[in-house]
Each structure stands twice: as C-alpha cells, then as structure tokens.
Amino acid sequence: MSRTFDDLVAEAASVSVDGWDFSWLDGRATEERPSWGYQRLMAERLARVASALDVQTGGGEVLAGADRLPPTMAATESWPPNVAKATALLHPRGVVVVADPDEPPLPFADGAFDLVTSRHPATVWWAEIARVLRPGGTYFAQHVGPASVFELVEFFLGPQPEARRKRHPDDETAAARAAGLDVVDVRVERLRMEFFDVGAVVYFLRKVIWTVPGFTVGAYGERLRALHERIRTEGPFVAHSSRVLIEARKPR
C-alpha cells in the first residue's frame, strides 16, 4: 500500500537536516557522483601540506573522511547546528572549527595556509581565498555548477532563465584569475538525480536551502501535492545536478 501525501510530507518535515549527511534519502532518492572523486583527491592534497583551511565545512563530514590531516588544520562554518556538529566530529582530529559568517573577511592572516579546500561553498570569495593562501599555495574545491537541479527549481518557481547562468565555470575561472590566481584545472559534469517520493523532495529542499529559497511545506503545499501526483502516476522525478572541480594556484 502506497503511503499518503500527508504521511510522506509530515515525516520529511520533522526529521533533522543538520550536517551534510544524506543517508536519510537512501532508497528514496539517488544521485550520480562525479567521476573524479573529490574527497579522495582532497585527502591526497591534505596529506602533502603543513597547513590547510576547509571553508564552509558543513558538519565536517567530508573533511573527516581524510585519513591524514596537516599539523595545522582549520575549518569555517556559519550555520550554528553545523558548527556544533563539525566541532564534535573534527576536534578529536585536532581541527580548529571557527564559527564564521560566509562573507569576507576570513578570520586568518595573509598567507596562512598552503591549501584551501571547499565542497559546495554557497559563495566563493576569491580575493579572500587568494589572501589567506601563501605564495605557491592551492585552492582545491568542488563547486555546484550552473543550473543545478533546475528541473526541481523551475517546478516550484517557474522558468528562471537569468539564474541558469549563475556559477558558470567560465565566470568562476575569470573571477579566480581576477583575484590573482592561476587556474590549473577545471572539470564539469552533469549528473542524474531521481526522487522516488515527495518526502524525499521535502527533505532535500529543507537541507539544500538555496535550491528553492524560503521553502516551507506551508508555502509550497499546492506544488508539493502536484509533485506527489506526478510521481505517483509517472514514476520518479528526474533532475540533473551540476558539479565543477576547480584547482587554482597562487603564484610564487
């Protein structure tokens, strides 16, 4: 017997969305992963440096996956529940977690780090990244690319033609160069996502808050019900995420 709309939505609206663990969606949604394996590549770089900073670390889960961290390791995060979660996870590894708004300046001295990393930063402040890198230091990150999950965005918000260009890798590399960094690698992939029930969508939109800004079940109840009926009659809702791997170096 299929679960009702009200049951699915109520469950997804009440579950915690702290941290950056999506295991609640197991069996309810799928997303292809980029071929490059960001966490593995990040860990390789962390093992080779003396100092590093992970910007917008979320709940610290990605950074915690690295086997070896440098002697000096810091992370920033702005959302209080994630600051608490990252602190609990990373402090035993010797990482200093700094509660910091996602806007300049970063609370560190010029040239403080050999490596700056970030996975899915909400905003990239290139001049600040360049400032805190030492000469010869590297920024290595996986960004959300242009028009990511836009099938879902436009289902709720209608056509967004201007927003489709935001976070284009051409624009990001130009901004990195304008901040004085040399871009040494850029890779882009679009990856299939499937949502098997409306609860999975509610959970995703509550967690990835920039997808549909200001999303609440109350505000979008009508569209959620329409989505439930669509999934019930047509099968999984399909969208495509967009991911960009970028590596940039500060000249010596």
Side-chain angles (χ1 to χ4, degrees):
M1 179 179 167
S2 61
R3 298 173 67 191
T4 67
F5 170 80
D6 290 337
D7 182 30
L8 290 165
V9 169
E11 179 191 22
S14 63
V15 69
S16 171
V17 290
D18 293 353
W20 210 239
D21 174 11
F22 285 81
S23 59
W24 189 84
L25 291 175
D26 290 351
R28 306 182 75 152
T30 62
E31 181 183 356
E32 286 183 299
R33 294 296 176 206
S35 62
W36 49 71
Y38 170 75
Q39 190 174 47
R40 175 181 57 81
L41 296 176
M42 176 199 71
E44 290 173 358
R45 286 158 176 77
L46 286 168
R48 298 197 298 258
V49 299
S51 58
L53 168 67
D54 193 48
V55 177
Q56 299 179 39
T57 198
E61 299 92 346
V62 178
L63 183 59
D67 289 335
R68 180 180 168 193
L69 298 175
T72 299
M73 184 77 230
T76 64
E77 174 56 33
S78 63
W79 196 41
N82 276 349
V83 172
K85 189 165 187 177
T87 298
L89 187 61
L90 296 173
H91 266 202
R93 301 281 307 275
V95 181
V96 176
V97 178
V98 181
D100 175 61
D102 292 335
E103 57 188 39
L106 286 167
F108 304 102
D110 297 359
F113 300 102
D114 301 319
L115 175 69
V116 175
T117 60
S118 194
R119 181 179 179 273
H120 302 176
T123 310
V124 183
W125 303 101
W126 289 106
E128 277 300 284
I129 289 164
R131 181 184 67 78
V132 301
L133 279 173
R134 66 162 179 78
T138 297
Y139 175 68
F140 182 73
Q142 180 175 292
H143 293 178
V144 175
S148 190
V149 204
F150 252 51
E151 297 91 342
L152 201 58
V153 170
E154 294 186 332
F155 183 89
F156 285 93
L157 300 179
Q160 305 283 307
E162 291 183 11
R164 281 184 167 271
R165 172 75 191 188
K166 288 181 180 177
R167 312 203 71 157
H168 195 282
D170 291 350
D171 299 337
E172 295 214 318
T173 54
R177 292 186 179 108
L181 300 173
D182 296 328
V183 178
V184 297
D185 191 15
V186 180
R187 307 181 213 173
V188 184
E189 290 184 4
R190 290 191 70 77
L191 304 150
R192 183 181 175 92
M193 304 174 71
E194 294 186 347
F195 296 90
F196 300 125
D197 67 62
V198 70
V201 173
V202 170
Y203 179 85
F204 181 84
L205 294 179
R206 289 181 60 225
K207 196 173 187 78
V208 189
I209 56 175
W210 52 85
T211 308
V212 177
F215 172 82
T216 64
V217 168
Y220 289 96
E222 190 176 320
R223 292 308 286 158
L224 287 168
R225 195 171 287 277
L227 183 64
H228 173 68
E229 289 303 316
R230 174 171 162 173
I231 292 172
R232 194 175 62 82
T233 57
E234 300 177 19
F237 185 91
V238 177
H240 295 84
S241 63
S242 175
R243 299 289 180 260
V244 179
L245 187 77
I246 186 163
E247 187 165 18
R249 198 158 291 136
K250 185 172 180 176
R252 291 187 182 277

